[in-house]
Amino acid sequence: MDGRAAATDLELLRAHVDGDGQAFAELFHRHRDRLWAVALRTLGDREEAADALQDALLSAHRAAARFRGDSAVTTWMHRIVVNACLDRIRRRQAHPTVPLPDGNRAGDGSGIGGIEPVAPAPDHETALVVREALAALPLEQRAALVLVDVQGYPVAEVARILGVAEGTVKSRCARGRARLAVLLGHLRPAGTSPPSARPDPTGPTREVPGVTPGNPGPVEGVGSGSVRYRRDANQEDT
């Protein structure tokens, strides 16, 4: 058995810092599906998500030597991915564009992952409506809901990823769910109560793109102990 496959996340990160050229690739391969899902469902655009994941993994690759071990390696990696996504959302809000309905920028399928398989029309339209409603939430509420309701992370873990108190995560989720209930109320049959299950607003993860980590070197503003959470004027918080 390959020694890297049996190594812990922390051992792989330390091996990477010590010069093992394959250790970080193994670490990313181990967690890429969930990291990609978080990026895709936070941004709602496959190409944007792929770019954000590329940026995040490059930052993590370069900043590994500064990982202090005060959280799990996966928490640290998710934190960097979430920050990369939120940075892209802020830039997109500052310079708005009109995305194509399928989330790809190129109609010929040349974007990351190509054109997704066509779903049955009603389901496809519903997924788009839910995705748009999620995108309409304030950034902090969206990030919390994606991690808790979509990805299923415990509130305590999400609090560590986002660098906030557990109560703040719960508050953001509650506010986000209330907004979604208003935005999506027309999808619920008359006379029915909200379902207890929490549907995945973007569908299954497909075709996780590869990420080239790049050459190690110092990167400013990335570490394990804090989140570069910059307050947006339209965001709500407790």
Side-chain angles (χ1 to χ4, degrees), residues 5-214:
T8 66
D9 291 346
L10 184 57
E11 288 170 343
L12 286 174
L13 194 64
R14 287 173 174 169
H16 160 65
V17 172
D18 291 339
D20 185 334
Q22 298 300 317
F24 191 85
E26 172 65 28
L27 182 62
F28 168 61
H29 178 78
R30 185 176 291 180
H31 301 292
R32 64 179 181 177
D33 287 350
R34 299 199 81 180
L35 294 173
W36 166 245
V38 167
L40 178 61
R41 289 154 185 169
T42 301
L43 288 164
D45 181 286
R46 295 181 66 82
E47 188 171 341
E48 284 277 330
D51 289 344
L53 188 60
Q54 177 78 34
D55 291 345
L57 270 294
L58 178 60
S59 295
H61 186 278
R62 292 175 171 174
R66 298 201 299 279
F67 176 70
R68 296 194 296 268
D70 54 357
S71 66
V73 172
T74 53
T75 299
W76 174 73
M77 294 175 73
H78 277 79
R79 184 180 300 155
I80 296 174
V81 170
V82 170
N83 282 335
C85 292
L86 296 184
D87 284 344
R88 283 187 169 270
I89 292 171
R90 293 184 183 101
R91 289 197 296 269
R92 190 165 62 189
Q93 289 177 341
H95 305 283
T97 58
V98 180
L100 296 177
D102 64 0
N104 290 285
R105 295 177 186 168
D108 59 1
S110 59
I112 295 296
I115 298 177
E116 295 185 9
V118 177
D123 292 341
H124 184 63
E125 292 175 1
T126 299
L128 290 177
V129 171
V130 174
R131 186 179 302 178
E132 289 172 358
L134 189 62
L137 297 179
L139 299 188
E140 284 135 337
Q141 293 176 14
R142 188 195 314 183
L145 278 178
V146 165
L147 291 168
V148 174
D149 286 3
V150 180
Q151 292 303 111
Y153 288 100
V155 169
E157 178 70 5
V158 174
R160 288 189 289 269
I161 291 173
L162 299 180
V164 298
E166 291 183 31
T168 300
V169 173
K170 294 177 182 177
S171 174
R172 290 174 181 176
C173 286
R175 292 180 180 182
R177 290 171 194 142
R179 284 173 177 255
L180 287 180
V182 173
L183 293 172
L184 301 175
H186 62 285
L187 297 179
R188 193 164 58 244
T192 61
S193 58
S196 58
R198 294 167 180 168
D200 182 338
T202 59
T205 301
R206 302 185 182 93
E207 302 176 16
V208 179
V211 173
T212 303

